[in-house]
Amino acid sequence: MSGNISEFSAEEKQLIQDHFQDLLASARLSQSPEDQALITKAFNLANGAHDKMRRKSGEPYILHPIAVAKIATTEIGLGTNSIVSALLHDVVEDTDFTVDDIRMQFGEKVANIVDGLTKIAGVFDGQSDLQAENFKKIIMTMSNDLRVIFIKLADRLHNMRTLDSMPPNKQLKISSETLYIYAPLAHRLGLYSIKTELEDLCLKYHHPIEYRRIAEFIKTSESKRFTYINKFSLPITARLNAEKYTYEITGRPKSIYSIWHKMETKKVSLDEIYDLFAIRIIFDPDPNLPEKAQCWAIYSIITDIYAPRPDRLRDWISKPKSNGYEALHTTVMGPGGQWVEVQIRSRRMNEIAERGYAAHWKYKENTTSENELDKWIFEIRKQLEDPKTDAFDFLDEFKLNLFASEITVFTPKGESITLPSKSTVLDFAFEIHSEVGFHAYGAKVNHKLVALNQELNAGDQIEILTSEKQLPDADWVNYVSTAKARNAIKNYFKDQRRNVATDGKVHLEWLLEQCHMQISSNIIRKLSNHYQSKNKDELYYKLGLNKISTDEFRKIMETRSQSKWMKFWSISRSKNNNPTEKFDKSKPLIVDDGTQGYQIATCCNPIPGDDVIGYRLTDNELVIHSTSCPNAIRLNSSDSSNVVKVEWRSHKLMAFLGRLRIKGVYSPDAINEVTKVITNKLDVNLRSINIDCHDGIFEGKIDVYVHNNDFLTELINKLSKIKEVSHVTRDILENKN
Ligand code: MN
């Protein structure tokens, strides 16, 4: 964490004082003399403890805890105890002070928070890479005092804001971790602005060029946006003024990350994204009228002026999201026939939206959402305490639940149940009880008979039909989207699988005895290769399913074994595979035509020019993944010691496989033109072209060999000039082998 040590100059000492005074002044909730004294006491202790210590950037270390404390108070809205804990958050870890010292001086509460933060830091920011295990610990700590997590998020936000001074491999590791865990966590806790900033910062390090391009685009389109927002708001403000509302209207652009994400997932270009901003109306409610009624009154004013899109009404007032978010969203047809999203919030709702759970403390008596959050934490604890759930599964499931938006459905008795959207009948059954899930064979949704994989809509009423004879089917995992249902089904089959595996193990012992052999790693390796299994459990399971004879067993033992890595990591080899020199991780590895010993990951198939990372398999084998590949993000946060930053240099000899998707209006000429453009480009080698035509439209997949992504871009430009072509985009090539 901390860099070198050296005496501070007079200017630096002044800088520290200035930052601290600024913190004292901006701690809105802590202006009483007692609070100010306590914060000053914590600052003095931390300042003394971190004396002469510097951050990687060279600035005094103490500026970091001061900045974290400031985020905690001004951006999350936390109070005195949290400011004190934030100031002290690195003291126990980095200096000689102990938690007991803190307890003596600041009491039990602060000591517990600092202790929690130190424990997380020890496992989380340290050398250890077993992130999933550590994450379990975080959640356990979280249920004791949420402030630990809030301060940890503030800490991470400041580290992300100052990531520039870190070496590139650290930048990738830290930002992957942030994207993997912290941003979803901030989202779940309702800290929208922090979540958004974390995501934007991750994008800045993962895809610097795209990041700059989108940021630039938002900036240059600003004046156009303002003009439009003004035009849109004019009739609304006239009505709101006439009815004496106190309010503000803003038109906030969407985050860079969310725009990028949309471009990636929807395969659209920047100028095809029309909803670059949302209009937000924040009003100070009349205390004599119900808040909810006032929201709907404003909704009614807006829809008097602009026609709403009925399928885009979101009422998070009657039933807030489980992270506490409350607002009314609608999409209306604005001037020039453009759809515009409008969000209506009271001042209180807005504060909750910005600061999430922390803001609830301020409005405690008005909300029921705290119980929702408590329920969520309780569910997570229960899952964690289940010894059958392994940490990685848990983490994936957890993230699944973090991202989901929600629907409310009903039992036959009218009891409401909240589920992630896209939940099925089977999810509902498991939500009621795992026994109901295991024995479900169908359901009546709104009194109509439906199958178990039927997707539910908000407001559905569901009656599950069960039978003792019904048992879970292996396909069921594909029918569910909640972690609860998925875990229950997986565990059911794990138990079953364990029985088969035990069978397989017994069978192997029998085979060895028949052939007078002793178990050895060589035998296991050969069998694993034969059965294509990743580990012993899988091997025993496959042996149990498929009990081979002694003859077959002998034959397998006679084959020469090949590298199991090939199958495990699913790699395609480049033409060269001579050893590369040892990788120096502090510098980006330059890859050009002369580089040997690297392979292109087949999960994401990056080509030169793309943002990539390298993952080291052995000392002289490197796999190159695209930075946004889910596998890369996972490797970066779970095994970052083997990740190196990679930079491409010009490739003129070697060719890489890329894929384009193309769409347009069908005519024989159009198809002719497409093939002509590709085959006429000498530096592009066509591998395959598949085109489907239907209803006067053609859609195609084109695989080409190119030297780097500039060639692809050029090809896209040329193809999009054909008048029948409406869409050409690059696509991820997935090699399922
Ligand atoms: Mn820190």
Side-chain angles (χ1 to χ4, degrees), residues 326-581:
E326 289 174 69
L328 202 55
H329 290 194
T330 177
T331 298
V332 298
M333 175 76 77
Q338 191 177 329
W339 290 117
V340 178
E341 184 181 314
V342 184
Q343 306 173 348
I344 304 164
R345 302 171 179 173
S346 69
R347 182 75 53 199
R348 177 189 67 84
M349 294 172 184
N350 188 55
E351 195 158 335
I352 288 170
E354 300 283 311
R355 291 187 182 158
Y357 186 72
H360 283 296
W361 291 341
K362 205 172 140 193
Y363 299 101
K364 215 160 195 169
E365 57 280 357
N366 297 346
T367 180
T368 54
S369 308
E370 263 171 295
N371 308 337
E372 291 284 330
L373 198 73
D374 285 344
K375 239 165 53 194
W376 178 69
I377 292 172
F378 175 75
E379 276 300 317
I380 290 171
R381 276 200 88 115
K382 236 173 49 193
Q383 275 185 45
L384 282 172
E385 279 153 11
D386 182 349
K388 287 176 193 157
T389 320
D390 89 55
F392 257 114
D393 274 0
F394 167 75
L395 194 53
D396 286 342
E397 301 293 353
F398 175 81
K399 282 168 56 65
L400 208 84
N401 278 3
L402 279 178
F403 283 120
S405 56
E406 293 157 351
I407 55 168
T408 306
V409 294
F410 299 92
T411 67
K413 285 184 186 149
E415 207 183 309
S416 75
I417 286 184
T418 306
L419 288 169
S421 59
K422 297 217 161 83
S423 287
T424 60
V425 165
L426 203 52
D427 284 309
F428 178 84
F430 277 99
E431 190 63 34
I432 304 274
H433 197 280
S434 56
E435 280 304 307
V436 177
F438 287 140
H439 299 296
Y441 66 87
K444 282 183 183 165
V445 171
N446 307 327
H447 308 292
K448 261 193 265 161
L449 209 59
V450 300
L452 289 173
N453 59 355
Q454 169 82 32
E455 221 174 80
L456 297 176
N457 292 314
D460 281 349
Q461 189 176 51
I462 304 125
E463 182 190 350
I464 299 291
L465 308 170
T466 60
S467 148
E468 271 309 304
K469 282 189 200 127
Q470 175 73 38
L471 288 174
D473 186 286
D475 275 347
W476 280 14
V477 276
N478 304 321
Y479 298 172
V480 295
S481 58
T482 55
K484 196 173 185 177
R486 201 193 295 265
N487 282 338
I489 298 166
K490 270 192 184 163
N491 286 336
Y492 174 87
F493 284 105
K494 254 187 214 164
D495 285 343
Q496 292 234 314
R497 200 181 154 99
R498 213 167 293 140
N499 294 339
V500 178
T502 312
D503 244 27
K505 197 172 172 208
V506 170
H507 183 67
L508 177 62
E509 279 157 10
W510 178 81
L511 287 169
L512 291 167
E513 208 178 285
Q514 297 300 305
C515 304
H516 306 289
M517 287 167 91
Q518 290 283 323
I519 186 84
S520 73
S521 57
N522 188 34
I523 293 176
I524 293 289
R525 191 164 53 238
K526 283 185 173 168
L527 281 171
S528 295
N529 273 332
H530 179 80
Y531 283 100
Q532 303 207 356
S533 15
K534 289 197 285 275
N535 53 41
K536 259 191 200 171
D537 288 340
E538 193 180 334
L539 176 63
Y540 289 147
Y541 172 71
K542 287 186 172 168
L543 262 167
L545 281 183
N546 172 17
K547 292 188 183 130
I548 48 174
S549 66
T550 48
D551 283 349
E552 279 175 283
F553 180 67
R554 284 203 185 88
K555 217 180 274 161
I556 293 167
M557 288 305 118
E558 278 155 20
T559 55
R560 279 195 53 221
S561 74
Q562 30 160 293
S563 165
K564 70 173 178 182
W565 287 111
M566 294 292 289
K567 273 165 195 143
F568 191 74
W569 293 100
S570 163
I571 290 154
S572 75
R573 294 208 153 241
S574 72
K575 284 171 202 120
N576 301 309
N577 46 32
N578 296 331
T580 2
E581 306 88 83

Side-chain angles (χ1 to χ4, degrees), residues 1 55 61 64-65 68 86 89-90 93-94 121 125 151-152 154-156 158-159:
M1 279 275 117
R55 301 192 82 203
Y61 192 83
H64 166 65
V68 173
H89 84 270
D90 281 330
E93 208 207 336
D94 292 349
D125 301 327
I151 298 169
K152 186 66 205 167
D155 182 33
R156 176 53 59 125
H158 186 244
N159 286 336

Side-chain angles (χ1 to χ4, degrees), residues 20 23-24 27 30 34-47 50 62 65-66 68-70 72-73 78-91 102-103 105-107 109-114 117 147 151:
F20 176 61
L23 168 69
L24 271 184
S30 317
E34 297 80 31
D35 286 336
Q36 295 259 313
L38 198 63
I39 295 171
T40 307
K41 185 174 157 193
F43 165 71
N44 287 336
L45 188 150
N47 195 25
H50 292 300
I62 185 71
I66 294 175
V68 173
K70 189 167 175 193
T73 172
L78 300 175
T80 307
N81 274 334
S82 304
I83 298 174
V84 167
S85 308
L87 283 169
L88 299 172
H89 84 270
D90 281 330
V91 163
I102 307 263
R103 185 173 294 112
Q105 294 203 39
F106 297 94
K109 251 185 207 154
V110 170
N112 282 344
I113 298 174
V114 173
L117 284 162
R147 281 174 292 192
I151 298 169

Side-chain angles (χ1 to χ4, degrees), residues 123-124 127-135 391-392 637-639:
V123 289
F124 216 74
Q127 306 308 313
S128 159
D129 253 330
L130 289 166
Q131 297 292 330
E133 271 303 331
N134 302 334
F135 192 61
F392 257 114
S637 44
S638 66
D639 192 12

